[in-house]
Amino acid sequence: PETLEDILREYQKRGFLWMKTLRHNGFGGILADDMGLGKTLQVITFLLSEHQEAEEGSNLKTLIVCPASLVFNWKTEIEKFAPELCVKMAVGTAKQREDMISQLGDRDIIVTSYDLLKRDMAFYEKVTFAYEVIDEGQYIKNHMTQAAKAVKDIQAGFKLALTGTPIENRLSELWSIFDYLMPGFLYPYTRFKEQLEVPITQN
């Protein structure tokens, strides 16, 4: 987008183009830049581009899931770099959150925390998002947790994970993130463990 042409650094422009390529080809992906390199800005650039290119009436609903401490940060960053985008925060009482989710417009971006997403899953059942972005993707490294199950139960077209640490301790953490991005891409977990995780860690 022209408004961000002079703001993004070259590596951030490459990250943006990579996201566009993933979406065009039907993949999801992990943006695994180190902390402080502008993952948020690259995603905002991607979303702004998608909104600018979309036909009138297209579903562009976007869900961003992040740690509670970053919810306000996402809103501030979007308003700073792409003020034309409509961003809302799923905060407040359960009733307030339910009303906001049920009234989402086709071009709305909603930001919530992993904890609130778990509580609000019933509100999201009838919503189909065009984009789902999880920030600090290592939050779903254990595929058995409620947080992991919640982000994977959301109906969304293009999925993205942001994390500086896609693998912290075990290869199963990478499997869990890909189970969110593209279920089945790294096989069911039992096969992944048998054919990849165990041979790699033991040998």
Side-chain angles (χ1 to χ4, degrees):
E2 283 184 22
T3 52
L4 296 172
E5 178 73 36
D6 295 332
I7 294 175
L8 266 68
R9 297 176 177 179
E10 285 306 312
Y11 73 86
Q12 293 172 329
K13 291 177 182 177
R14 286 198 295 274
F16 157 72
L17 291 170
W18 172 76
M19 287 181 226
K20 296 286 282 187
T21 302
L22 286 177
R23 192 204 58 75
H24 179 76
N25 288 296
F27 296 110
I30 304 173
L31 182 58
D33 278 351
D34 285 335
M35 214 169 105
L37 290 183
K39 294 187 286 293
T40 304
L41 178 56
Q42 291 173 64
V43 171
I44 293 169
T45 307
F46 167 78
L47 292 175
L48 179 58
S49 169
E50 292 289 295
H51 278 245
Q52 290 177 347
E53 294 172 5
E55 296 178 4
E56 196 66 38
S58 300
N59 175 26
L60 298 169
K61 286 190 193 80
T62 302
L63 175 66
I64 297 172
V65 188
C66 60
S69 60
L70 295 178
V71 170
F72 284 88
N73 181 67
W74 267 97
K75 184 174 188 292
T76 302
E77 294 287 290
I78 292 171
E79 289 174 344
K80 176 182 177 181
F81 291 108
E84 56 267 64
L85 298 180
C86 180
V87 58
K88 300 176 177 178
M89 297 184 298
V91 294
T93 66
K95 181 69 170 69
Q96 288 171 325
R97 299 195 306 271
E98 181 180 12
D99 290 346
M100 176 172 287
I101 294 162
S102 66
Q103 295 165 18
L104 279 176
D106 282 343
R107 287 182 168 261
D108 286 348
I109 297 170
I110 188 165
V111 187
T112 192
S113 67
Y114 286 98
D115 188 46
L116 287 178
L117 181 70
K118 290 185 292 186
R119 295 190 221 170
D120 295 344
M121 280 310 295
F123 307 154
Y124 289 99
E125 281 181 354
K126 296 178 182 176
V127 185
T128 300
F129 290 94
Y131 313 97
E132 182 183 9
V133 179
I134 63 167
D135 195 3
E136 301 294 346
Q138 67 273 16
Y139 268 67
I140 67 162
K141 65 184 182 181
N142 181 346
H143 63 274
M144 302 298 289
T145 63
Q146 290 300 311
K149 290 173 182 174
V151 298
K152 294 172 188 184
D153 282 346
I154 291 291
Q155 297 179 66
F158 176 70
K159 295 182 178 181
L160 198 63
L162 316 182
T163 173
T165 50
I167 305 174
E168 288 183 315
N169 300 302
R170 299 158 54 95
L171 277 177
S172 60
E173 297 167 5
L174 188 64
W175 180 88
S176 183
I177 296 178
F178 268 96
D179 188 45
Y180 149 72
L181 294 169
M182 295 182 286
F185 183 72
L186 290 182
Y187 319 126
Y189 179 62
T190 49
R191 182 178 169 191
F192 173 83
K193 182 177 181 180
E194 181 184 316
Q195 294 188 6
L196 294 166
E197 187 178 11
V198 171
I200 288 171
T201 52
Q202 289 187 353
N203 302 311

